[in-house]
């Protein structure tokens, strides 16, 4: 199976920039999708196809993907951004893989 | 507005069976690949199964292959997951998710989930 590695937690002060990484072998060759999940809620797509931002997602959210690391960046972090974030790829071998998730804490 | 409404969750004994359903509305159901994703209590997301728009193919995670069967009824806009030989580790919230393809599969709309508890 294709393994995706995320840091368990990231902490950031309000107004600062949060960076959440997703590591995988040659992940830069795949399309990476990011989901935001707030407590008690279903996940929502935050970023699709590496850097696409669905309607309703603030411009503060951006994504990049190269080499062995994909990155979700949240600028000017707000208290409402506090959530769990998951990366996901589709791979012909394992079909769908999720990262273990990163808990974003806004200090 | 896309809506996905799951039902059928509940408490079941180990070795038992349960059938989950997902009622879809707000989009042309027959045009989309659909999936189930689950989340054990306090844990991360785990992909379970995916079915083609025409039901021409299905894929299963190794953890459920041979025990779970995914099907769909495009005339009723309904997705179903038959779960047999349930184990404690199948305890989770099960989400129905629309799974569009444009070079890659991802989950662009999710239901609110239905809780399955496998326990004696």
């Amino acid at each position: 199976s294709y393994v995706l590695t995320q840091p368990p937690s990231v902490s950031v002060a309000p107004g600062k920039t949060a960076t959440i990484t997703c590591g995988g072998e040659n992940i830069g060759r795949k399309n990476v999708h990011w989901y935001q999940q707030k407590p008690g809620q279903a996940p929502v797509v935050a970023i699709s196809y590496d850097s696409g931002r669905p309607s309703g997602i603030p411009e503060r959210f951006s994504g990049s993907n190269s080499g062995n690391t994909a990155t979700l960046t949240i600028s000017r972090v707000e208290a409402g951004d506090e959530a769990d974030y998951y990366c996901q790829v589709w791979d012909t071998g394992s079909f769908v893989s999720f990262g273990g998730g990163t808990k974003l804490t806004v200090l | 507005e896309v809506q996905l409404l799951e039902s059928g969750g509940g408490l079941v004994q180990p070795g038992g069976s349960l059938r989950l359903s997902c009622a879809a509305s707000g989009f042309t159901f027959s045009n989309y690949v659909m999936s189930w994703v689950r989340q054990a209590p306090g844990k991360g997301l785990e992909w379970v199964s995916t079915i083609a728009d025409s039901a021409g193919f299905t894929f299963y995670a190794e953890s459920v292959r041979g025990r779970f069967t995914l099907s769909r009824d495009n005339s009723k806009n309904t997705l179903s997951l038959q779960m047999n030989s349930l184990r404690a580790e199948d305890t989770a919230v099960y989400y129905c998710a629309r799974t569009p393809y444009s070079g890659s599969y991802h989950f662009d709309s999710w239901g609110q989930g239905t809780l399955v508890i496998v326990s004696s």
Side-chain angles (χ1 to χ4, degrees):
Chain A
S1 63
Y2 187 77
V3 178
L4 295 173
T5 302
Q6 297 182 237
S9 63
V10 168
S11 298
V12 62
K16 300 300 184 182
T17 297
T19 300
I20 299 173
T21 58
C22 176
E25 185 175 354
N26 294 317
I27 195 173
R29 298 180 183 178
K30 303 180 184 298
N31 296 126
V32 178
H33 314 285
W34 291 91
Y35 303 89
Q36 176 194 65
Q37 186 180 32
K38 296 182 179 180
Q41 298 183 19
V44 297
V45 182
I47 294 289
S48 61
Y49 292 95
D50 297 343
S51 58
R53 194 175 55 251
S55 60
I57 299 299
E59 292 183 6
R60 300 182 295 104
F61 286 71
S62 62
S64 63
N65 185 19
S66 179
N68 293 316
T69 305
T71 302
L72 171 68
T73 302
I74 309 172
S75 305
R76 303 181 301 283
V77 167
E78 303 174 356
D81 299 331
E82 193 162 277
D84 293 326
Y85 292 85
Y86 297 89
C87 58
Q88 176 253 313
V89 301
W90 172 67
D91 175 78
T92 54
S94 55
F95 201 75
V96 171
S97 295
F98 283 102
T102 298
K103 181 177 180 61
L104 176 65
T105 299
V106 181
L107 301 172
Chain B
E1 178 192 4
V2 174
Q3 289 196 340
L4 300 169
L5 183 61
E6 302 94 336
S7 61
L11 175 63
V12 61
Q13 292 188 339
S17 298
L18 211 56
R19 187 177 183 87
L20 305 184
S21 294
C22 171
S25 61
F27 66 102
T28 304
F29 180 73
S30 59
N31 288 349
Y32 284 87
V33 175
M34 298 293 296
S35 302
W36 289 92
V37 176
R38 69 184 180 183
Q39 186 171 35
K43 302 297 184 181
L45 301 173
E46 180 189 14
W47 168 71
V48 173
S49 183
T50 294
I51 187 167
D53 49 2
S54 61
F57 70 77
T58 52
F59 289 101
Y60 299 94
E62 191 171 343
S63 58
V64 306
R65 192 173 298 131
R67 300 188 298 122
F68 290 11
T69 301
L70 181 56
S71 61
R72 64 191 295 162
D73 185 339
N74 287 341
S75 68
K76 297 181 179 179
N77 293 348
T78 300
L79 185 71
S80 297
L81 184 67
Q82 178 66 41
M83 304 187 296
N84 298 331
S85 303
L86 284 162
R87 307 166 179 167
E89 54 265 36
D90 294 319
T91 294
V93 174
Y94 284 73
Y95 295 101
C96 169
R98 195 173 74 167
T99 316
Y101 179 82
S102 184
S104 172
Y105 289 103
H106 75 293
F107 310 103
D108 73 342
S109 296
W110 301 64
Q112 283 305 302
T114 187
L115 177 61
V116 173
I117 300 174
V118 183
S119 175
S120 55

